[in-house]
Amino acid sequence: MEGIKRILVILGAIAIIIIILSRCMNAADALPKDIRGEAYTGAATCVKCHQEIKQSFAHNAHGLTSKPVHDQELLKVFARDSNVFNFDMHQKVVIEKRTAGVFQVAYVDGKEVRAEKFDMVFGSGEKAYTYAYWKGKKLYELPLSYFSEIRNWAISPGFTKQTFYYDRPIGSRCLECHASYVDKKVTQTSGITTDEEMERGALLYGIDCERCHGPGRQHAVFHLENPAEKTAKFITIFKTLSRKQKMDACGVCHSGNALVAQKSVFGFTPGDNLDDYYTQDFVGFGGGNPDVHGNQTNMLMGSNCYRKSKNMTCQSCHNTHENIKGNLAVYSQRCISCHQSTKHSELTLAKGSISTNCIDCHMPKESSKLITFQQAGKDDLSPYLLRSHHIAIYPDISK
């Protein structure tokens, strides 16, 4: 009799284990696959439980940093004045709507010589939209970008006004900060040169949840099976990271251009040491004089606000789930939360309410040394202004 009871207990335990495992397997099997590997599940899974974050992040610069061009009709509203950019009296590029989509079409003396379609857009549009087209397994930058400041087209960054140019490649290194993943194949063509091919169908646009929080499949399976558990499991929680780990997580894409990549940062997960992925190039351009473009972490770390604080990080002012880009009043309140006793001179006070705009004085916009743009009919390059993250008392407000 005892033997029968023991067998029944063992069978019951096995049954329970089978039920639990089957539930987990069913939950895991129900989740979509992700091209990054079995540990990932994709943003579509994340939003099932995080709808509120989704609504805000959908309009956030991180999520919009790249996307495919689907609605071609939207391109019409970008250029309110003209869809024609004249390089000179002989050469021009025209934005044209055709049956297959919208194209940038080059003409020489009225004759069409090149036409490429808008396939992909880079940028959230706060400053600009830069476009690209696919040719086989290679991505190329289109000659015209749309700049929000002038509400018109201008020559894309990296191009010159002398002539239109369609063959400037965009490699996976660019996508490492403007996308969440792309499948690539690198072939050694000689002792020092390589050829890279990228799979258009294996490109994850924008910066998604798992790019910042790490692989989330185990997290999703656990919480789908345990909906009553409200403490996040098996996912990176930023408040648990050290200060360096927090800065490294942002520094993947915001630590500047004077870096040499040791390996692809697509493999970086929060908590990793960024020094394992990048080395600083102090000899090359920007090493001793960092450019304002993409160099937010290093500029912040050089500020007294950062150096005199024990816990200030990017997250002290930024929440990537929010959509408050350009809201200087909100950011100013975050300055005041640490600088309540700061006194200003009468001259400064006379300029207006300082409680709603600390930013323009202490984090002014500066011209990028790496990016400029050329407007039609103008010989001089127009500056590309970006917000400095070196918080300081600048000369024009020191009185």
Side-chain angles (χ1 to χ4, degrees):
M1 196 67 178
E2 289 294 330
I4 295 176
K5 288 183 178 180
R6 184 178 297 174
I7 293 173
L8 290 175
V9 170
I10 293 173
L11 290 175
I14 293 174
I16 293 172
I17 292 173
I18 291 174
I19 291 172
I20 293 173
L21 290 176
S22 65
R23 288 179 64 195
C24 291
M25 290 175 63
N26 290 338
D29 291 342
L31 296 180
K33 303 295 183 183
D34 192 281
I35 57 177
R36 288 169 287 192
E38 294 182 358
Y40 291 82
T41 185
T45 298
C46 302
V47 300
K48 291 179 180 178
C49 298
H50 300 285
Q51 282 290 330
E52 184 177 342
I53 292 176
K54 172 198 172 185
Q55 296 304 319
S56 177
F57 190 76
H59 303 283
N60 185 281
H62 286 84
L64 297 175
T65 192
S66 67
K67 58 184 177 180
V69 177
H70 285 309
D71 190 350
Q72 307 291 356
E73 292 297 322
L74 290 176
L75 294 172
K76 292 182 178 180
V77 306
F78 290 164
R80 303 297 177 92
D81 299 323
S82 174
N83 286 333
V84 179
F85 186 95
N86 293 297
F87 282 78
D88 54 38
M89 61 184 300
H90 300 286
Q91 303 176 103
K92 64 182 179 181
V93 171
V94 184
I95 312 299
E96 294 185 6
K97 179 78 167 67
R98 296 183 173 183
T99 303
V102 179
F103 289 73
Q104 291 196 15
V105 186
Y107 292 89
V108 176
D109 293 327
K111 181 180 179 181
E112 178 182 326
V113 295
R114 188 78 179 263
E116 298 294 349
K117 182 184 173 185
F118 287 81
D119 285 327
M120 181 175 175
V121 55
F122 289 85
S124 65
E126 184 208 2
K127 296 288 189 300
Y129 294 104
T130 293
Y131 300 92
Y133 71 93
W134 286 96
K135 186 175 182 181
K137 294 186 177 183
K138 296 182 184 295
L139 190 64
Y140 296 92
E141 186 175 357
L142 285 166
L144 298 185
S145 293
Y146 182 83
F147 289 84
S148 302
E149 182 180 348
I150 62 172
R151 296 172 65 84
N152 214 326
W153 301 95
I155 299 177
S156 295
F159 290 70
T160 63
K161 191 181 177 183
Q162 280 68 35
T163 186
F164 50 81
Y165 185 58
Y166 281 82
D167 300 311
R168 187 169 191 246
I170 297 175
S172 63
R173 182 70 188 96
C174 299
L175 294 178
E176 286 180 1
C177 289
H178 284 277
S180 290
Y181 182 79
V182 67
D183 193 9
K184 63 180 181 180
K185 179 183 178 182
V186 179
T187 305
Q188 195 80 28
T189 56
S190 70
I192 58 174
T193 61
T194 59
D195 180 70
E196 181 182 74
E197 293 183 334
M198 299 184 294
E199 296 291 341
R200 182 178 182 177
L203 170 59
L204 296 179
Y205 295 94
I207 302 300
D208 72 358
C209 314
E210 289 171 287
R211 190 73 196 275
C212 294
H213 290 282
R217 192 174 192 85
Q218 187 178 5
H219 166 77
V221 170
F222 175 83
H223 286 283
L224 287 172
E225 293 295 333
N226 301 275
E229 177 58 68
K230 301 304 180 184
T231 302
K233 304 286 187 181
F234 309 113
I235 200 73
T236 299
I237 306 299
F238 264 74
K239 65 181 179 182
T240 66
L241 298 178
S242 68
R243 188 187 195 192
K244 182 183 186 308
Q245 287 173 330
K246 291 176 182 178
M247 295 301 294
D248 279 0
C250 296
V252 169
C253 296
H254 293 281
S255 53
N257 302 282
L259 296 169
V260 178
Q262 301 300 303
K263 55 184 178 180
S264 173
V265 294
F266 279 138
F268 181 94
T269 57
D272 286 353
N273 185 354
L274 193 58
D275 296 336
D276 294 335
Y277 292 82
Y278 290 140
T279 57
Q280 187 75 39
D281 175 18
F282 290 102
V283 178
F285 180 82
N289 185 20
D291 187 64
V292 69
H293 173 256
N295 204 12
Q296 291 87 349
T297 56
N298 286 340
M299 299 188 96
L300 174 62
M301 291 167 68
S303 305
N304 280 336
C305 284
Y306 183 90
R307 291 187 294 174
K308 292 183 178 181
S309 169
K310 293 182 179 180
N311 53 18
M312 183 182 187
T313 65
C314 304
Q315 290 78 33
S316 298
C317 299
H318 293 285
N319 178 348
T320 54
H321 296 158
E322 294 178 329
N323 178 31
I324 59 169
K325 191 76 171 178
N327 193 329
L328 301 186
V330 172
Y331 286 118
S332 295
Q333 288 303 309
R334 293 173 184 177
C335 297
I336 293 171
S337 67
C338 294
H339 296 281
Q340 296 177 10
S341 60
T342 300
K343 295 182 179 180
H344 292 82
S345 68
E346 292 185 4
L347 181 61
T348 300
L349 292 171
K351 294 180 180 180
S353 175
I354 60 172
S355 63
T356 57
N357 191 359
C358 309
I359 312 303
D360 279 338
C361 288
H362 297 286
M363 299 176 65
K365 290 184 177 181
E366 296 181 344
S367 299
S368 170
K369 296 182 285 293
L370 294 176
I371 300 178
T372 54
F373 62 94
Q374 186 87 45
Q375 298 184 56
K378 295 187 178 181
D379 294 326
D380 296 329
L381 293 173
S382 297
Y384 192 76
L385 299 176
L386 295 166
R387 181 74 60 189
S388 172
H389 277 66
H390 182 77
I391 307 168
I393 299 175
Y394 286 81
D396 60 332
I397 61 166
S398 60
K399 298 179 181 179

